[in-house]
């Protein structure tokens, strides 16, 4: 049912089309925007974390460097150094070593234990807190070199378990410079309190973030902000100096961001786990806001679409109603609406067409009545043309008998004109016959005007056989006589000039009568170009000739009019020669007596 409604309703099609055109771009923009934003936030998160991790790692290295400086305090006590070179045990030496260890042990709160191994007398002295360390068994033995060349700087730091606590172990050999003899080895067992204060702010445990610090390799974990090892993270994951990769931590999906560096050939790796939910939280919030805005926008689009569709459909429905009325024979239209858009113009033109159609139907009906009436009147008042011609011939004969030759000539010319104009079956005649008819007409007009009218006709002999439409010269010549001379000065000169070439036949009627002003010339050209019916107001005979030739020859016909009142008025007709046929001579059957 819904499908049929869409098929039959233009309103439904427009509404559905506009909704689809709105929803699809909205959806695509959301997908593209979400992915672009998410990827941008992810890259920004990685960059920002790498910067803060780099600063934190610098602080860790600085802290390790400070520890190294604390352990060279032996060299400042020359008396202690002299006693440490001795190979026998003495109470003074024991006291001095313990005093130095006490200073180290008390210098930093995070130091859990201090140990000194004297290589000269093979004696170990250790200071620690039982509550923190527990038993001595948790402190492992350490390799003590005899010479500095046997020592590897990478062994200076390591990670160990001291009781239940993970600590940073720092070994520092006491070298008897400038000799390479190692007098002893000092070891600090340092808690991660200071390191935790440096690395702790990098992560927000409540949001699932965790920070890790690895010493030597990724399996030697020193610090974890969550207090647990990141067992899911393998050593092979830290491939480059910096980077990131996706992984899980305790079942939660996220991104590991890591940064690798060294401190005195000691590899250090700091890593941070950021949950995916935290990364995409901002993108999800932005998407939620965009969706709310777009839903409001979509609602506005739906309402606006419905209104616009209704506005578009309303005039179409009026047109459908009017078409149904016309189909039923009712030409009464609804009141006009003053819409100026395309549909308003269409509605206006349709109503104009219907009114014109109504007028044409009425006119056609009236014309049929008038034709019927005219036929009846013609039957009632019909005069046999042969009777008319015979009567004129009889009057001419009578004039000859009375010796009035001129009257006979004029009657003969009049009969020729009547017979030529009343021959309704002939449409095209030789140009020579059209010129003969004009000579008869002008001869009668010259008798009427006496010496006030003179005329000339020029035509090349080769143009005489060309067949042209009948009665194209008389309306032009008659215009010159009636409008040019009768309404002008009452006299004038008329010239019919015919020129012929392989391309064109030109017919020009030139007079020096009253002529036309520029406005009348413009109106004549506008009326010729106009397609509106029944609007002809100027030069009816001229317009009839022009339209006949235009209908017959189309683009092969051209015309022009030039007028200087009381000097020269010329009407030119041009017809392509290839559209004209030849044949026949002036019709000799017309009586010219």
């Amino acid at each position: 049912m819904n499908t049929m409604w869409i098929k039959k309703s233009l309103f439904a099609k427009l509404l559905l089309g506009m909704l689809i055109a709105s929803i699809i771009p909205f959806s695509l923009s959301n997908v593209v925007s979400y992915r672009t934003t998410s990827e941008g936030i992810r890259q920004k998160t990685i960059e920002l974390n790498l910067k803060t991790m780099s600063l934190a790692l610098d602080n860790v290295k600085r802290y390790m460097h400070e520890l190294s400086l604390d352990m060279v305090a032996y060299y400042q006590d020359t008396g202690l150094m002299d006693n440490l070179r001795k190979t026998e045990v003495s109470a003074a030496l024991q006291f001095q070593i313990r005093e130095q260890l006490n200073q180290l042990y008390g210098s930093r709160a995070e130091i859990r234990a201090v140990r000194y191994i004297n290589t000269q007398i093979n004696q170990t002295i250790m200071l620690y807190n039982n509550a923190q360390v527990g038993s001595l068994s948790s402190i492992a033995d350490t390799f003590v070199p005899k010479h500095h060349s046997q020592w590897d700087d990478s062994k200076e730091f390591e990670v160990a378990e001291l009781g239940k606590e993970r600590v940073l172990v720092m070994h520092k050999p006491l070298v008897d410079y400038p000799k390479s003899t190692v007098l002893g080895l000092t070891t600090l067992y340092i808690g991660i309190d200071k390191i935790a204060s440096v690395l702790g702010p990098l992560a927000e445990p409540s949001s699932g973030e965790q920070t890790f610090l690895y010493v030597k390799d990724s399996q030697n974990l020193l610090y974890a902000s969550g207090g647990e090892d990141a067992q899911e993270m393998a050593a092979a994951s830290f491939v480059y100096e910096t980077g990131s990769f996706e992984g899980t931590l305790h079942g939660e999906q996220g991104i590991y961001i890591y940064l690798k560096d060294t401190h005195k050939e000691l590899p250090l790796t700091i890593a941070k786990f950021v949950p995916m939910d935290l990364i995409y939280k901002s993108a999800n919030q932005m998407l939620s806001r965009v969706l709310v805005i777009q839903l409001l926008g979509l609602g506005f689009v739906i309402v606006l679409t419905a209104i616009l569709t209704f506005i578009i459909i309303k005039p179409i429905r009026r047109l459908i109603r009017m078409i149904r009325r016309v189909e039923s024979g009712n030409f009464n239209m609804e009141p006009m609406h003053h819409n100026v858009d395309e549909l308003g113009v269409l509605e206006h033109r349709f109503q104009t067409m219907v009114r014109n159609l109504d007028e044409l139907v009425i006119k056609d009906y009236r014309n049929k009545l008038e034709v019927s009436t005219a036929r009846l009147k013609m039957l009632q008042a019909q005069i046999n043309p042969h009777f008319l011609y015979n009567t004129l011939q009889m009057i001419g004969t009578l004039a000859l008998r009375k010796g009035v030759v001129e009257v006979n000539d004029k009657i003969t010319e009049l009969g020729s004109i009547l017979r030529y104009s009343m021959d309704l079956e002939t449409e095209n005649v030789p140009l020579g016959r059209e010129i003969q008819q004009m000579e008869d007409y002008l001869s009668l007009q010259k008798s009427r005007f006496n010496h006030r009218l003179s005329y000339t006709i020029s035509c090349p002999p080769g143009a005489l056989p060309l067949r042209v439409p009948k009665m194209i010269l008389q309306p032009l010549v008659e215009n010159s006589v009636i409008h040019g001379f009768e309404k002008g000065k009452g006299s004038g000169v008329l010239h019919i000039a015919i020129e012929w070439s392989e391309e064109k036949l030109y017919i020009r009627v030139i007079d020096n009568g009253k002529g036309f002003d520029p406005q009348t010339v413009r109106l004549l050209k506008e009326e010729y170009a106009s397609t509106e019916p029944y609007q002809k107001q100027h030069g009816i005979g001229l317009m009839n000739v022009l339209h006949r030739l235009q209908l017959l020859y189309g683009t092969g016909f051209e015309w022009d009019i030039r007028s200087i009142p009381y000097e020269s008025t010329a009407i030119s007709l041009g017809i392509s020669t290839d559209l004209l046929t030849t044949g026949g001579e002036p019709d000799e059957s017309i009586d010219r007596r």
Side-chain angles (χ1 to χ4, degrees):
M1 186 63 182
N2 292 334
T3 305
M4 293 299 296
W5 178 66
I6 293 175
K7 288 182 179 180
K8 293 183 178 181
S9 174
L10 180 60
F11 176 83
K13 292 176 181 177
L14 288 174
L15 185 60
L16 182 61
M18 289 185 177
L19 288 178
I20 292 175
S22 301
I23 292 174
I24 291 178
F26 280 169
S27 302
L28 290 177
S29 66
N30 285 339
V31 173
V32 174
S33 177
Y34 179 76
R35 290 185 176 179
T36 303
T37 304
S38 300
E39 186 62 27
I41 291 175
R42 174 174 173 169
Q43 293 299 325
K44 198 68 176 178
T45 300
I46 293 173
E47 292 174 4
L48 291 175
N49 278 284
L50 284 174
K51 289 180 180 179
T52 55
M53 289 163 61
S54 176
L55 293 175
L57 194 56
D58 288 341
N59 290 332
V60 171
K61 293 193 296 181
R62 190 179 298 111
Y63 174 65
M64 290 182 173
H65 179 67
E66 291 174 358
L67 291 175
S68 298
L69 293 178
D70 290 343
M71 296 182 68
V72 297
Y74 292 93
Y75 296 103
Q76 299 176 2
D77 191 344
T78 56
L80 174 60
M81 290 298 295
D82 290 339
N83 289 330
L84 288 176
R85 294 187 184 99
K86 297 178 180 179
T87 58
E88 66 275 2
V89 179
S90 65
L93 177 60
Q94 296 292 326
F95 176 80
Q96 287 179 326
I97 292 175
R98 285 184 178 275
E99 185 66 22
Q100 188 65 39
L101 294 180
N102 276 323
Q103 291 180 6
L104 281 175
Y105 184 69
S107 63
R108 296 181 182 274
E110 65 270 19
I111 296 178
R112 302 293 186 257
V114 180
R115 183 179 66 178
Y116 180 76
I117 301 175
N118 192 335
T119 58
Q120 300 298 317
I121 59 177
N122 195 20
Q123 183 185 27
T124 299
I125 301 175
M126 187 167 187
L127 297 179
Y128 62 94
N129 190 332
N130 289 330
Q132 293 177 326
V133 178
S135 64
L136 293 174
S137 60
S138 60
I139 298 178
D141 294 333
T142 304
F143 168 74
V144 181
K146 296 294 185 179
H147 299 278
H148 188 262
S149 59
Q150 298 174 341
W151 180 253
D152 187 357
D153 288 341
S154 63
K155 297 178 180 179
E156 183 175 349
F157 291 94
E158 62 178 334
V159 179
E161 296 288 338
L162 190 60
K164 296 181 179 180
E165 183 183 10
R166 184 186 296 111
V167 295
L168 175 65
V169 181
M170 181 177 180
H171 305 286
K172 189 70 174 180
L174 185 61
V175 182
D176 187 15
Y177 294 109
K179 300 177 182 179
S180 62
T181 303
V182 177
L183 300 178
L185 181 68
T186 304
T187 302
L188 294 180
Y189 296 86
I190 308 162
I192 60 175
D193 305 3
K194 184 67 175 179
I195 294 177
S197 66
V198 174
L199 301 182
L202 295 179
E204 184 65 38
S206 61
S207 61
E209 293 182 337
Q210 287 200 39
T211 306
F212 309 95
L213 179 63
Y214 295 89
V215 178
K216 292 187 177 181
D217 55 56
S218 59
Q219 299 298 328
N220 204 347
L221 178 65
L222 174 61
Y223 168 78
S225 61
E228 299 177 0
D229 296 350
Q231 299 297 334
E232 293 92 339
M233 191 162 49
S237 302
F238 303 132
V239 179
Y240 307 105
E241 294 298 321
T242 61
S244 62
F245 58 90
E246 293 185 4
T248 57
L249 180 62
H250 307 305
E252 186 175 10
Q253 190 72 22
I255 297 178
Y256 284 98
I257 306 168
Y258 65 89
L259 174 65
K260 298 170 71 173
D261 203 346
T262 58
H263 174 67
K264 294 183 179 180
E265 300 183 1
L266 173 68
L268 297 175
T269 302
I270 183 173
K272 182 177 179 180
F273 175 80
V274 182
M276 286 291 189
D277 293 340
L278 184 63
I279 294 176
Y280 296 141
K281 182 179 180 181
S282 299
N284 292 333
Q285 290 176 349
M286 188 199 72
L287 180 62
S288 300
R289 296 191 188 100
V290 171
L291 285 176
V292 171
I293 295 173
Q294 288 188 350
L295 286 175
L296 294 175
L298 185 60
F300 175 76
V301 169
I302 292 174
V303 174
L304 183 61
T305 300
I307 295 173
L308 291 177
T309 305
F310 177 76
I311 293 174
I312 294 173
I313 295 299
K314 187 177 180 180
I316 295 178
R317 288 177 176 172
R318 283 200 301 267
L319 282 174
I320 293 174
R321 289 198 301 269
M322 288 187 285
I323 290 173
R324 289 174 180 172
R325 286 186 181 182
V326 174
E327 288 177 347
S328 63
N330 184 2
F331 291 90
N332 294 325
M333 295 290 99
E334 297 181 7
M336 292 287 294
H337 295 268
H338 301 287
N339 296 336
V340 295
D341 56 9
E342 289 82 356
L343 289 175
V345 173
L346 176 62
E347 187 177 4
H348 176 74
R349 292 293 177 86
F350 177 79
Q351 292 192 6
T352 303
M353 181 191 70
V354 171
R355 284 195 294 269
N356 292 337
L357 181 62
D358 187 24
E359 293 177 0
L360 288 174
V361 170
I362 294 174
K363 285 183 178 180
D364 183 64
Y365 178 72
R366 289 177 179 174
N367 288 337
K368 288 181 180 179
L369 291 178
E370 291 175 357
V371 168
S372 299
T373 303
R375 285 177 178 175
L376 178 61
K377 290 181 179 181
M378 286 179 65
L379 290 174
Q380 293 174 347
Q382 185 178 25
I383 299 178
N384 193 324
H386 292 288
F387 171 76
L388 179 62
Y389 301 149
N390 292 333
T391 300
L392 288 175
Q393 187 175 6
M394 182 268 295
I395 295 173
T397 302
L398 182 62
L400 284 175
R401 289 176 180 176
K402 297 294 184 179
V404 187
V405 178
E406 186 177 357
V407 173
N408 177 68
D409 293 340
K410 300 307 175 185
I411 290 175
T412 302
E413 291 172 350
L414 177 61
S416 175
I417 292 173
L418 291 176
R419 181 173 295 182
Y420 183 80
S421 60
M422 296 180 69
D423 182 10
L424 301 179
E425 296 181 357
T426 304
E427 294 182 0
N428 293 330
V429 297
L431 180 60
R433 184 67 185 90
E434 184 78 359
I435 293 174
Q436 287 179 4
Q437 195 266 349
M438 280 299 95
E439 289 179 338
D440 292 338
Y441 173 79
L442 289 173
S443 176
L444 290 174
Q445 290 292 351
K446 187 172 182 181
S447 298
R448 175 188 169 197
F449 284 92
N450 201 357
H451 298 293
R452 290 179 298 156
L453 173 65
S454 61
Y455 68 89
T456 58
I457 300 176
S458 61
C459 177
L464 294 176
L466 296 176
R467 301 190 71 85
V468 296
K470 185 179 178 183
M471 298 293 290
I472 62 172
L473 284 179
Q474 181 174 341
L476 306 183
V477 173
E478 190 172 357
N479 276 344
S480 295
V481 173
I482 296 175
H483 300 287
F485 302 146
E486 288 185 0
K487 296 181 180 180
K489 296 182 294 184
S491 63
V493 177
L494 175 69
H495 178 56
I496 300 175
I498 299 175
E499 299 175 5
W500 173 63
S501 66
E502 294 182 358
E503 291 80 18
K504 287 281 188 179
L505 170 68
Y506 288 101
I507 300 175
R508 294 184 176 89
V509 177
I510 306 169
D511 65 71
N512 62 348
K514 181 180 179 181
F516 304 98
D517 56 66
Q519 183 178 0
T520 304
V521 173
R522 178 178 58 82
L523 291 176
L524 284 171
K525 292 184 177 181
E526 289 180 356
E527 287 185 6
Y528 174 78
S530 174
T531 58
E532 295 290 335
Y534 312 111
Q535 299 295 322
K536 306 296 182 289
Q537 299 177 358
H538 302 83
I540 296 176
L542 173 63
M543 287 296 111
N544 286 336
V545 171
L546 296 178
H547 281 107
R548 282 175 61 202
L549 294 175
Q550 197 273 336
L551 289 174
L552 286 171
Y553 304 115
T555 57
F557 166 71
E558 60 184 27
W559 73 283
D560 190 22
I561 180 170
R562 299 179 183 274
S563 178
I564 301 176
Y566 300 106
E567 290 187 14
S568 175
T569 298
I571 299 176
S572 301
L573 308 178
I575 305 173
S576 297
T577 305
D578 56 358
L579 299 178
L580 300 174
T581 59
T582 59
E585 293 294 336
D587 191 356
E588 299 296 338
S589 63
I590 297 178
D591 188 359
R592 299 193 47 82
R593 289 180 299 170

